[in-house]
Amino acid sequence: MASHRSGGRLQRSVLFSQDGKLLFTCASSMVKVYSLNGSLVRVLHRPAADGEEGASLSALALNPGNPYQLLAAAYDGSVTLWDYVDGVVLDVFYAGAPVTHIATSSALPHGSFLAAVSFNEAPRLAALHAHNIARGICPRGKTKAKGSRRGGMPDDPPPATQIRICSFTGSVNAAADDDSTTAAATRAVADADAETGNVLFEMAAAADIAISASGMWIAAVGSSILYIYTMPTGKLHKLCRARALFTSVDISPKEDHVATGDATGIVYVWYMFAPGYLESILVDVVQYRGDDPMPHMTRHHWHSNNVLCLGYAPSGYLLSGGMEAVLVTWHVGSGKREFISRLGAPLAAVAVSPKATHVALLCDDNAIRVIDARSRRLAYQVSGLKASAEVMQPGVGLALEPVTSLVVVNGSPSTLQFFDPVLDVSVAEMEIIESYSYVSSAHALLGGKGKGKAAKKAAKKAAKHQYVPFISHVAFTPDPAEAPATARTLAPDLVPLTCQWMVTSEVTHPKVSNQSTLKFYRALSGLDFELVTQINAPHKATVSALAVHPFLPLVATASADGSVKLWEAFEEETATTMGSKLAALRWRMRSMSKFRDASASALAFASDGSVLAVAHGPAITLWDPLSNTLMATLSFPTEPLTALAFLPHTPYLVALTGVRVFVWSLLTRSVVWSLAIKGSHLCVAPTGNGAADARFALVAGSGASPSVLVFGADSAVPRAIVPIDGEDALGLAYLPPSGADPALRLILLNAESEFVLVDEVAAKLVGFTTRHIHSASDATAAFSEGKHNSKAASRLSALFTAADNDDAVSADVEASALFEAHNPALDSLFLAPVHVMPAVSNVFDAFMSAVLPRSLRDAAGPLAVQDGSTAYESDDYPSSSSTSSDESDDEADDDEAGATSGDDGVAAMATASSSSSSSSSSSDSDDDEMLGADGAEPDAIARFAKAEAAWASAAAAPPASLSELGLPEADALNKLFTSLA
């Protein structure tokens, strides 16, 4: 099974599948596929030829000729054709240079696509340049086109991008109609080189490209020029603006105009597709300047900063987004606009589902927010790993939640994110700093309100002195169930650890020494935490270290002012409105200590909780945490210490400075060994087998050749050296053993927001081999049936949530005779208008036949149903609204195949209702022959009379089971009720 990295930055592109059920996005070198409910279904990853990590992806596009194929372009010049159902690579096209954009159209020959190839820049420079152009950021922070002057035209930028038509096949048969647009595209591909594609035209560094649905028009923007290429004639036109850079472009579905966005926040709509307009232009470059609208062009301005994305809905409405975190819906004809605001982050890309029911927004905070177009509210959110070099703090690093073994990182400066690196899913995100709206630092850099150089200069000055509050430390108390039985006797004055606690420290402003806050959260259920105690300014300076006791409600904090404080939980009695007293847990300071007025930089508790080690400059002090007495002092290094950690269940203490690592033995109070290396991100393996198995890891070296070193307690010779060339480490941690994987796993977080496994045996970085929310077979079935599974809590909830969420039973629910397959017809059975809905009595039998699969109906046998004083058998009663057993089975089989859509299901239901009513009169004569004189089948009447007598006789003494009644249906009913229970 292929492995891949976990996490990654969601970037560049977001895309719906042709049926609107799936969502695709780029995540570093991977394509992540999400279902309609936001769960991760599949990861498409193609490693490089040498087995290393592939290049970052730049764009995605669907193959219009096959709804189950996806194109993914990368900055290494490759375009991969994926079968995303099976997760296999069908073909790879190499352009020979970085591919920054791709686009497809059904008018192009099969296997062909449009590509923007950056031919004169290195891949990394091309990626950076294209990103800056898309964000509207020029070199040196300028948004004006190079060489532009007041009243003048910009200099023609040097060619940097080629627009090519490429093909995976390399040869396409010529079309019969030589005058059609498809024939022109076919001839272009037929003349193309099989390796590089056919070059249509050259342009400046491309910020965005688009192709019309008919394949007649190609639009591209680069620098301050809009390029329009006509496929039938092969003619190129350039429309220039001198004021700002173009950032995005899109062509309307009706192909009557094209929209562009620029770095000043203006959206231009160009109506150059009017009949005969482009043919009347005799020059190649239309020299437009100024802000006055030119013929066949309108100007729309709301955004205060650059327009980052544009997209058309199928109905013709134009959507735009930018740095303001607001989605604007434009009615192009009237200029009216509507807004969806407070989306949390700048909008980098927008996509509309084929039926225009949902809008997907790729946001700058590494999240995809899906908006319900009908309610204009957030339907669901897909969050990637938000940890980055911008928000990660050394104090937090990679913290582990001990109960769930989730990795906790800085999500944004004000939030903590709980992430599962194995399943590659964001489980939760918790806001720690309240009432702080963090958008992006780029918003201030690009200028706020006002225009002109003075306003931009003032905005840059304000951004330089702007400070964002951040979470500096986080720690968790262990699972109370794992506390030793002697914990109560060791500290009788402390309340027992009855619940889990999370402790955080935050820095409001570093230039104000006491502007920090310490918070204590109590775990309620799962990842739901409640703030219990908040302590403002716990020290005279900011908190520099935080540690929790292994099994007692005791927390230690250190500060740069040299103080070390111990905090304890206690019960506080509060009076209620009824006069009674209620005990509540709170936190307070227990004791404080200092050592020679030296600043405290690191803390560590021993695994048995008997010793607290504190780093005071170059010295290590050992304290009894309960009595707050100094036990010993270790002072060998001359450099200030940066990190401390005890090896579990051993007497060894690891100390880290900026240039050396030490291992101390507390039994002899001497250095066991030391090594001169520049280390960081110290982490200890949670092993419990003594000194022989104890080990720790750190990142050594910096610059071009860093490595992960794994050491034992007894030797300075590393047990493993794993090179991480090109990986800027942000954190290192050991994942504890789990049921699925009993071995310890060392994970590394890099600057690309990716988790990667450190293989200590093979001495290399490897990816995760995961079974995501669905297995491979489940995902294939979901793609084939057009359904996407979501995890259900029980069998009954899996049945009834399907009608609401369009979801099937999860792969985690065991297969049973009760739920053999989900019935898609139930999703739309009751969605028809009231005036066309049949009576409930007419659809009851058909509904029950659809709910219960064939195996259950066969096991239950014929069930007697009562109507007034006469009973009939549901299988024998020829009602006009019911179907025969064979027809019901056929309908159930069709429903299980997932072939009925929502609209078709409503229409089919209305048709079946009218046809059954018209055919009821013709079947009355046949019904009379089958039934008795009073309209009932004789055997059914006798059977019901027997059943009625049996129930009457059992009224005084209810039977222990149905089998005591002597009914032929007893065994079947017992099976049915047992299954439902």
Side-chain angles (χ1 to χ4, degrees):
M1 184 179 295
S3 62
H4 60 84
R5 299 189 174 195
S6 179
R9 299 293 299 175
L10 306 181
Q11 58 189 2
R12 299 292 298 169
S13 181
V14 61
L15 192 65
F16 278 100
S17 61
Q18 291 190 8
D19 59 359
K21 301 292 186 178
L22 297 175
L23 201 61
F24 307 94
T25 186
C26 302
S28 299
S29 61
M30 303 168 288
V31 178
K32 293 193 174 182
V33 187
Y34 294 93
S35 66
L36 193 61
N37 62 358
S39 61
L40 181 63
V41 176
R42 187 183 293 279
V43 175
L44 306 177
H45 178 240
R46 183 179 65 87
D50 54 358
E52 299 295 331
E53 188 66 17
S56 296
L57 299 181
S58 58
L60 299 176
L62 289 173
N63 183 4
N66 191 322
Y68 302 111
Q69 292 181 3
L70 179 73
L71 285 75
Y75 287 116
D76 62 354
S78 64
V79 180
T80 306
L81 180 63
W82 285 95
D83 181 341
Y84 61 80
V85 176
D86 297 328
V88 297
V89 176
L90 301 178
D91 202 349
V92 180
F93 175 88
Y94 293 97
V99 179
T100 59
H101 302 82
I102 56 174
T104 58
S105 173
S106 58
L108 294 177
H110 180 69
S112 301
F113 59 94
L114 188 70
V117 182
S118 180
F119 62 89
N120 65 351
E121 294 179 294
R124 180 62 63 177
L125 294 178
L128 178 61
H129 189 57
H131 176 73
N132 289 340
I133 291 297
R135 297 288 298 274
I137 303 175
C138 294
R140 300 181 184 178
K142 298 181 179 180
T143 58
K144 184 181 293 186
K146 182 179 180 181
S148 62
R149 300 176 299 275
R150 180 177 295 274
M153 291 299 300
D155 298 335
D156 195 11
T161 302
Q162 292 179 343
I163 304 300
R164 307 177 186 175
I165 289 186
C166 309
S167 177
F168 287 104
T169 59
S171 62
V172 180
N173 296 328
D177 188 3
D178 293 339
D179 296 331
S180 65
T181 305
T182 304
T186 302
R187 287 194 301 270
V189 176
D191 297 337
D193 186 89
E195 296 182 356
T196 60
N198 180 46
V199 178
L200 299 181
F201 60 93
E202 295 183 353
M203 58 176 292
D208 199 4
I209 65 171
I211 185 172
S212 62
S214 65
M216 181 176 293
W217 311 100
I218 296 175
V221 289
S223 185
S224 60
I225 303 176
L226 167 62
Y227 300 82
I228 300 296
Y229 184 85
T230 307
M231 288 292 290
T233 62
K235 191 173 182 180
L236 176 67
H237 296 279
K238 303 177 185 178
L239 290 87
C240 301
R241 282 199 74 251
R243 293 297 180 90
L245 298 177
F246 284 121
T247 58
S248 53
V249 65
D250 200 7
I251 301 176
S252 68
K254 299 180 180 179
E255 301 187 16
D256 56 348
H257 61 269
V258 60
T260 59
D262 67 9
T264 61
I266 302 176
V267 176
Y268 292 91
V269 179
W270 310 78
Y271 293 92
M272 77 287 296
F273 294 154
Y277 175 70
L278 288 177
E279 289 76 3
S280 63
I281 301 177
L282 300 180
V283 297
D284 291 337
V285 179
V286 180
Q287 297 187 356
Y288 164 64
R289 63 188 181 185
D291 293 331
D292 297 331
M294 65 183 299
H296 304 291
M297 188 270 285
T298 58
R299 179 175 178 267
H300 306 275
H301 192 188
W302 178 85
H303 296 279
S304 61
N305 284 299
N306 48 340
V307 180
L308 298 181
C309 57
L310 287 174
Y312 277 98
S315 58
Y317 283 89
L318 178 63
L319 308 178
S320 65
M323 302 295 298
E324 304 85 2
V326 176
L327 179 66
V328 186
T329 304
W330 301 88
H331 186 275
V332 178
S334 63
K336 295 181 179 179
R337 54 183 181 260
E338 297 180 357
F339 307 95
I340 301 178
S341 59
R342 298 183 180 182
L343 294 174
L347 311 183
V350 60
V352 183
S353 63
K355 294 183 180 180
T357 57
H358 293 85
V359 178
L361 304 172
L362 178 60
C363 300
D364 215 24
D365 62 346
N366 208 31
I368 299 176
R369 294 172 173 86
V370 179
I371 306 297
D372 190 328
R374 290 163 293 198
S375 63
R376 303 178 65 83
R377 296 178 180 271
L378 181 67
Y380 61 89
Q381 176 174 322
V382 175
S383 296
L385 182 62
K386 296 185 178 182
S388 63
E390 182 182 3
V391 300
M392 282 290 288
Q393 300 299 325
V396 176
L398 295 185
L400 288 180
E401 201 281 324
V403 177
T404 60
S405 299
L406 297 176
V407 178
V408 182
V409 296
N410 291 101
S412 67
S414 61
T415 62
L416 290 175
Q417 186 179 21
F418 295 78
F419 196 87
D420 191 333
V422 179
L423 295 180
D424 195 4
V425 61
S426 176
V427 179
E429 189 170 0
M430 182 178 177
E431 184 181 35
I432 301 299
I433 304 177
E434 298 85 357
S435 303
Y436 179 77
S437 177
Y438 174 75
V439 176
S440 175
S441 58
H443 180 82
L445 294 177
L446 293 177
K449 296 183 179 179
K451 296 183 179 180
K453 294 182 179 179
K456 293 182 179 180
K457 185 176 181 180
K460 290 182 178 180
K461 184 178 180 180
K464 183 177 180 180
H465 298 284
Q466 181 187 17
Y467 181 73
V468 178
F470 64 91
I471 304 167
S472 59
H473 298 83
V474 63
F476 296 87
T477 61
D479 188 355
E482 299 179 358
T486 58
R488 184 64 177 172
T489 60
L490 292 177
D493 58 327
L494 290 176
V495 297
L497 187 64
T498 58
C499 61
Q500 188 189 14
W501 294 88
M502 179 179 71
V503 188
T504 65
S505 67
E506 60 192 56
V507 178
T508 307
H509 203 294
K511 294 184 179 180
V512 182
S513 60
N514 61 347
Q515 288 299 314
S516 60
T517 305
L518 188 64
K519 295 180 180 179
F520 297 86
Y521 294 85
R522 179 175 56 191
L524 300 179
S525 61
L527 297 177
D528 187 12
F529 290 90
E530 175 190 19
L531 178 61
V532 172
T533 304
Q534 176 175 326
I535 300 173
N536 297 321
H539 296 268
K540 293 182 179 180
T542 57
V543 176
S544 59
L546 187 150
V548 297
H549 195 276
F551 49 84
L552 293 178
L554 202 62
V555 175
T557 59
S559 175
D561 63 358
S563 63
V564 177
K565 295 184 179 182
L566 289 173
W567 309 85
E568 65 176 358
F570 70 99
E571 291 184 350
E572 181 183 43
E573 292 186 352
T574 58
T576 63
T577 57
M578 302 299 294
S580 61
K581 293 185 178 181
L582 179 66
L585 287 176
R586 298 289 186 266
W587 286 79
R588 64 188 178 190
M589 188 182 73
R590 176 184 175 92
S591 60
M592 185 187 73
S593 63
K594 281 190 174 184
F595 181 77
R596 298 176 182 175
D597 291 332
S599 63
S601 57
L603 294 171
F605 277 100
S607 58
D608 60 356
S610 60
V611 178
L612 172 63
V614 183
H616 290 281
I620 302 176
T621 57
L622 304 179
W623 301 78
D624 184 346
L626 298 180
S627 62
N628 195 29
T629 57
L630 180 62
M631 302 169 60
T633 302
L634 309 177
S635 57
F636 175 76
T638 58
E639 303 87 9
L641 294 166
T642 59
L644 292 176
F646 281 94
L647 297 183
H649 308 288
T650 67
Y652 297 110
L653 174 65
V654 182
L656 200 65
T657 69
V659 295
R660 186 175 289 271
V661 58
F662 297 86
V663 175
W664 287 82
S665 174
L666 300 189
L667 296 179
T668 60
R669 297 183 185 179
S670 61
V671 176
V672 178
W673 60 267
S674 66
L675 186 64
I677 56 174
K678 186 177 181 181
S680 60
H681 305 294
L682 174 66
C683 67
V684 174
T687 58
N689 299 328
D693 194 35
R695 63 185 186 272
F696 64 93
L698 53 84
V699 177
S702 60
S705 58
S707 300
V708 174
L709 303 182
V710 180
F711 293 95
D714 53 353
S715 174
V717 178
R719 295 186 179 182
I721 302 177
V722 183
I724 54 172
D725 297 341
E727 306 280 353
D728 295 330
L730 298 181
L732 198 66
Y734 275 100
L735 291 181
S738 62
D741 192 349
L744 280 174
R745 291 163 294 179
L746 180 61
I747 61 173
L748 179 140
L749 175 64
N750 61 18
E752 300 296 328
S753 300
E754 296 175 334
F755 280 115
V756 60
L757 284 173
V758 180
D759 192 336
E760 302 178 21
V761 178
K764 65 178 182 178
L765 301 180
V766 297
F768 291 85
T769 303
T770 62
R771 181 186 184 272
H772 295 292
I773 303 299
H774 313 285
S775 63
S777 60
D778 297 330
T780 304
F783 283 117
S784 303
E785 299 177 8
K787 293 294 176 183
H788 313 287
N789 301 333
S790 63
K791 193 170 184 178
S794 64
R795 297 173 178 177
L796 289 178
S797 63
L799 173 65
F800 293 110
T801 55
D804 296 331
N805 301 331
D806 234 11
D807 297 331
V809 182
S810 171
D812 297 335
V813 180
E814 297 180 359
S816 65
L818 182 60
F819 295 100
E820 294 176 339
H822 172 62
N823 193 339
L826 299 181
D827 297 339
S828 56
L829 184 58
F830 300 109
L831 297 181
V834 177
H835 63 277
V836 299
M837 284 286 293
V840 176
S841 59
N842 292 341
V843 299
F844 177 77
D845 292 337
F847 173 76
M848 294 305 297
S849 298
V851 170
L852 300 178
R854 182 188 309 175
S855 59
L856 184 58
R857 295 198 300 271
D858 295 342
L863 302 180
V865 296
Q866 184 176 358
D867 183 10
S869 59
T870 307
Y872 309 97
E873 285 190 4
S874 58
D875 288 347
D876 298 334
Y877 181 69
S879 172
S880 60
S881 62
S882 63
T883 59
S884 64
S885 59
D886 294 338
E887 292 173 348
S888 300
D889 294 342
D890 294 340
E891 291 177 1
D893 293 341
D894 293 340
D895 291 340
E896 291 174 3
T900 303
S901 62
D903 296 337
D904 296 339
V906 174
M909 182 181 63
T911 304
S913 175
S914 60
S915 62
S916 61
S917 299
S918 62
S919 61
S920 60
S921 60
S922 62
S923 62
D924 289 343
S925 59
D926 297 336
D927 295 347
D928 295 337
E929 296 177 0
M930 296 178 62
L931 301 177
D934 56 352
E937 197 269 331
D939 293 340
I941 296 177
R943 183 175 299 176
F944 177 74
K946 182 180 179 182
E948 187 177 29
W951 284 110
S953 62
S961 64
L962 292 176
S963 59
E964 296 182 10
L965 293 175
L967 297 179
E969 293 87 0
D971 295 337
L973 289 175
N974 274 326
K975 294 179 181 179
L976 173 62
F977 295 149
T978 302
S979 300
L980 291 178

